């Protein structure tokens, strides 16, 4: 079996509603469509990435990321196939909400996920992790385990508000827990070319992050919003939609960056 030089990418922003889970699910799906072995890990107790890929979050037949972090199950036992070839998921469920508290008393509590991932390194080319919308121990575990982070920023008022907290957390993790962590890219979401506000936000973000900002913006798109309720990524729900084209272009950009 072919072994890969695995790259682990976190999708993170502690602000809710920025398109974080939508981006995690669709980046992972489009990577898989290119026949790139990809694993998505749902680290959000809301489990939206899990249900968004058609996995029943209440089913007891799937071991979840909670079982890995708290019950010391091997990550390989929790791998669940999705509808898309080359795409597997480690599901989440509501039990994960209690994990923040349960992790507190653990030795090396910041690196439980990093240790767990050792058993699947080499099996996948990409591991995409959907982080929770907070900066607690779950997110710290995600950033400690990752090579890089994609930060989605939505074209709304106060888009950059709270971002300094996330950047500060990233700096602390680089200093103390994961010196190799870097920012993979900044992703503009919910873009509407008709609105001056969208252009203002992009100018601000580009001023701040320079060439770290992806050239592909994710447009506001009804089909993209509908897809999760059908348990499908956009490539299966409406492959010809604007949202589908946006994520295809984004993944092309990510793959080109990695050469």
């Amino acid at each position: 079996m072919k072994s890969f030089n695995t790259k682990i990418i976190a999708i993170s922003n502690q602000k809710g509603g920025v398109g974080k889970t939508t981006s995690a699910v669709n980046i992972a799906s489009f990577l898989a469509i290119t026949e790139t072995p990809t694993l998505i890990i749902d680290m959000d107790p809301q489990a939206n990435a899990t249900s968004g890929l058609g996995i029943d979050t209440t089913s007891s037949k799937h071991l979840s990321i909670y079982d890995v972090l708290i019950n010391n199950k091997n990550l390989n036992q929790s791998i669940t196939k999705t509808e898309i070839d080359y795409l597997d998921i480690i599901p989440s469920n509501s039990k994960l909400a209690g994990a923040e508290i349960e992790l507190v008393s653990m030795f090396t509590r910041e690196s439980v996920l990093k240790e767990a991932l050792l058993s699947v390194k080499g099996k996948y080319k990409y591991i995409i992790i959907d982080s929770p919308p907070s900066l607690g121990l779950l997110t710290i575990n995600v950033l400690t385990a990752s090579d890089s982070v994609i930060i989605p920023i939505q074209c709304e008022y106060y888009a950059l508000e709270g971002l300094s907290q996330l950047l500060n957390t990233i700096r602390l993790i680089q200093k103390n827990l994961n010196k190799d962590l870097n920012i993979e890219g900044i992703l503009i979401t919910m873009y509407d070319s008709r609105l001056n506000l969208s252009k203002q936000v992009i100018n601000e973000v580009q001023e701040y992050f320079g060439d770290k900002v992806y050239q592909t913006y994710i447009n506001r798109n009804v089909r993209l919003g509908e897809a999760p309720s059908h348990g499908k990524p956009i490539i299966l729900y409406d492959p010809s939609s604007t949202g589908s084209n946006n994520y295809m272009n984004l993944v092309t950009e990510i793959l080109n960056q990695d050469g």
Side-chain angles (χ1 to χ4, degrees):
M1 195 174 142
K2 190 176 176 189
S3 180
F4 296 95
N5 188 7
T6 304
K7 183 170 190 179
I8 303 170
I9 303 176
I11 315 289
S12 191
N13 188 336
Q14 81 276 19
K15 202 171 175 182
V18 297
K20 179 182 58 64
T21 299
T22 299
S23 296
V25 164
N26 289 303
I27 288 169
S29 300
F30 275 101
L31 285 168
I33 295 291
T34 67
E35 299 189 354
T36 304
T38 303
L39 175 67
I40 179 167
I41 300 179
D42 190 351
M43 282 286 286
D44 187 343
Q46 293 169 39
N48 291 337
T50 303
S51 59
L53 283 165
I55 310 291
D56 181 0
T57 61
T58 60
S59 166
S60 56
K61 73 174 188 196
H62 308 296
L63 284 177
S64 70
I65 191 66
Y66 175 85
D67 298 302
V68 174
L69 297 173
I70 306 302
N71 299 332
N72 214 10
K73 297 287 184 196
N74 187 297
L75 203 71
N76 283 286
Q77 294 173 275
S78 312
I79 292 170
T80 302
K81 296 253 166 253
T82 71
E83 265 187 275
I84 298 177
D85 289 341
Y86 296 96
L87 180 61
D88 294 339
I89 183 168
I90 308 281
S92 175
N93 58 35
S94 57
K95 283 197 290 190
L96 193 60
E100 292 271 356
I101 295 152
E102 291 171 89
L103 281 166
V104 169
S105 59
M106 284 191 188
F107 184 62
T108 65
R109 59 191 178 190
E110 296 91 356
S111 48
V112 181
L113 180 63
K114 185 177 187 173
E115 292 297 315
L117 282 171
L118 293 174
S119 66
V120 293
K121 272 205 162 177
K123 191 172 173 180
Y124 298 96
K125 182 85 176 76
Y126 286 95
I127 297 176
I128 304 295
I129 311 179
D130 186 26
S131 314
S134 68
L135 290 177
L137 264 176
L138 290 175
T139 297
I140 289 168
N141 262 273
V142 172
L143 295 174
T144 301
S146 298
D147 298 308
S148 60
V149 55
I150 290 174
I151 304 172
I153 295 177
Q154 87 286 35
C155 286
E156 302 282 357
Y157 286 110
Y158 312 124
L160 296 176
E161 197 181 74
L163 207 59
S164 58
Q165 272 178 298
L166 176 61
L167 296 173
N168 198 31
T169 302
I170 290 170
R171 275 192 290 271
L172 284 169
I173 284 167
Q174 286 167 330
K175 191 176 161 192
N176 299 303
L177 296 163
N178 180 5
K179 66 178 190 322
D180 298 323
L181 179 67
N182 63 59
I183 292 176
E184 180 80 15
I186 306 297
L187 176 61
I188 301 289
T189 64
M190 302 176 202
Y191 174 71
D192 186 337
S193 59
R194 296 164 305 181
L195 298 180
N196 278 333
L197 176 62
S198 282
K199 291 165 189 148
Q200 284 168 351
V201 170
I202 284 171
N203 288 340
E204 267 184 70
V205 172
Q206 283 176 334
E207 218 168 276
Y208 199 91
F209 290 102
D211 59 3
K212 283 283 182 199
V213 183
Y214 288 114
Q215 286 169 3
T216 304
Y217 308 148
I218 309 302
N219 289 270
R220 279 192 178 281
N221 182 244
V222 172
R223 306 298 275 169
L224 207 49
E226 290 171 352
S229 64
H230 295 267
K232 292 183 185 297
I234 194 66
I235 182 67
L236 295 184
Y237 181 64
D238 188 348
S240 61
S241 65
T242 303
S244 189
N245 285 326
N246 290 163
Y247 278 107
M248 185 171 67
N249 293 338
L250 174 65
V251 164
T252 304
E253 230 182 298
I254 291 168
L255 290 169
N256 287 343
Q257 270 183 3
D258 288 346

